[in-house]
Amino acid sequence: MALERLDKLIASQGVYSRREVKRLVKEGRVLVDGRPARSAEEKTDPAAITVDGEPLGYTRYTYVMLHKPAGVLSATEDSRQETVLDLLEPPLRKRGLFPVGRLDRDTEGLLLLTNDGPLAHRLLSPKHHVDKEYLARLDGPVGEEDREAFARGIRLGELQCLPAKLTWGENPTEVLVTLHEGKFHQIKRMFQSRGRTVLYLKRIRMGPLTLDPHLVRGKYRYLSEEEIRVLLEKMEK
Ligand code: URA
C-alpha cells in the first residue's frame, strides 16, 4: 500500500481525531518501525505504526451487520429522529459508515453499514440485481394467484416490477419474498396491489449475506473475514 500520513491513517480508524494524533505524537506514544514518530504528517505504512505499544490494526474499510430494529431511520443523521448510526459505539460513528440501501422506519432486519463506497455502489446498482429476501406478515392469506402475479412482475402504476418470488409454508399469512431491486416501499405496495396489508416486515438476506440469528434487534457485529471475502468476490462479477 502507498505511504500515507500518520494522522490520516490513525484518525481513519475512528478512535482518535487528527488533533489528538498530533498530541499523541508529541507525547511520544506513536512509534513507526519501533522509533518515535517525527510528526503527525510523517508518511508511513500503516503496518509499521503502534500506539501506546499496540499495533494500529489498520483496516481500510469497515463492514458491519446491523439487526435494525423498527423505529429507527436508515440514514446517517437526522435532526429529530434516531438513526442507525446512533446505534453504533462512538468510535465507530467516526469511520464514515453509511447504510447500504434503506429499510423503512418500521422495517426490521439486515442492514449492512460500511464505508466501502465502491462495494455499496455495486450492491445497490440495478445492473447487479442483488437479491434481497424478506419475511412478511400479512393481514390475510395469499394464494397461488398472488404467487403467479409476483412471478410475472407486479405493476405499480408507472412502475413495472421485476419478477419476484413469493413462497409460504403452513401459514399463508406469513410469507417469504425475494426481490431483485429495491423501490420505495416496494413490498408493501406490491401486496397492497393484491389487496393485502403488510403488518410486519423483516429483511433476512441481501445477496450472499444472511442476518445472523444470534444478533438481537438493535445489535451489530463486524462481518467475518469469510463474509467479506464472499461479498467482495460476488460483487466483482
Ligand atoms: N419493501 C418495503 O415495503 N419496505 C422496506 O423497508 C423494504 C422493502
Side-chain angles (χ1 to χ4, degrees), residues 102-104 107 134 179 183 185-189 201:
R102 282 165 186 265
L103 292 176
D104 295 341
T107 300
Y134 295 83
L179 297 184
K183 310 286 186 209
H185 295 331
Q186 186 167 348
I187 291 189
K188 291 173 187 161
R189 289 159 67 207
L201 191 59

Side-chain angles (χ1 to χ4, degrees), residues 14-50:
V15 178
Y16 301 105
S17 66
R18 286 200 185 197
R19 184 182 301 173
E20 284 166 336
V21 175
K22 226 176 182 159
R23 179 173 52 79
L24 293 176
V25 169
K26 270 206 182 123
E27 291 170 0
R29 292 163 62 186
V30 181
L31 304 187
V32 175
D33 283 327
R35 49 122 189 114
R38 282 186 282 268
S39 87
E41 287 110 63
E42 178 175 344
K43 290 200 167 174
T44 177
D45 179 330
I49 303 172
T50 61

Side-chain angles (χ1 to χ4, degrees), residues 9-219:
L9 287 170
I10 298 178
S12 73
Q13 303 305 289
V15 178
Y16 301 105
S17 66
R18 286 200 185 197
R19 184 182 301 173
E20 284 166 336
V21 175
K22 226 176 182 159
R23 179 173 52 79
L24 293 176
V25 169
K26 270 206 182 123
E27 291 170 0
R29 292 163 62 186
V30 181
L31 304 187
V32 175
D33 283 327
R35 49 122 189 114
R38 282 186 282 268
S39 87
E41 287 110 63
E42 178 175 344
K43 290 200 167 174
T44 177
D45 179 330
I49 303 172
T50 61
V51 180
D52 290 333
E54 295 290 329
L56 182 60
Y58 176 84
T59 50
R60 178 152 184 222
Y61 293 128
T62 303
Y63 305 91
V64 166
M65 174 190 292
L66 170 71
H67 186 161
K68 179 194 172 298
V72 177
L73 287 188
S74 298
T76 51
E77 55 183 5
D78 190 85
S79 55
R80 278 171 300 170
Q81 300 189 55
E82 192 180 24
T83 73
V84 289
L85 261 284
D86 295 323
L87 299 173
L88 306 180
E89 290 160 276
L92 254 185
R93 282 184 220 152
K94 293 196 225 156
R95 285 207 189 182
L97 302 182
F98 55 87
V100 179
R102 282 165 186 265
L103 292 176
D104 295 341
R105 192 168 178 276
D106 59 355
T107 300
E108 298 184 344
L110 173 65
L111 195 61
L112 174 65
L113 301 168
T114 186
N115 46 11
D116 183 345
L119 175 75
H121 182 75
R122 276 175 268 140
L123 278 167
L124 296 174
S125 135
K127 208 175 72 196
H128 282 89
H129 294 310
V130 172
D131 54 341
K132 292 150 210 134
E133 194 174 345
Y134 295 83
L135 167 73
R137 290 200 192 104
L138 310 168
D139 66 342
V142 285
E144 199 49 32
E145 284 179 12
D146 300 303
R147 196 188 61 71
E148 284 166 13
F150 271 52
R152 276 195 305 274
I154 298 265
R155 184 148 197 112
L156 298 172
E158 299 281 286
L159 174 69
Q160 176 59 54
C161 297
L162 292 174
K165 189 170 152 199
L166 174 62
T167 58
W168 59 94
E170 298 274 289
N171 176 358
T173 66
E174 188 162 311
V175 299
L176 289 175
V177 183
T178 307
L179 297 184
H180 300 272
E181 56 193 338
K183 310 286 186 209
F184 187 60
H185 295 331
Q186 186 167 348
I187 291 189
K188 291 173 187 161
R189 289 159 67 207
M190 284 165 74
F191 280 111
Q192 214 165 37
S193 81
R194 305 293 307 166
R196 287 279 164 247
T197 301
V198 173
L199 304 177
Y200 170 84
L201 191 59
K202 177 180 186 177
R203 180 156 67 193
I204 53 179
R205 191 171 61 76
M206 181 173 187
L209 213 56
T210 302
L211 180 64
D212 184 336
H214 302 295
L215 210 52
V216 297
R217 283 189 198 97
K219 295 292 177 200

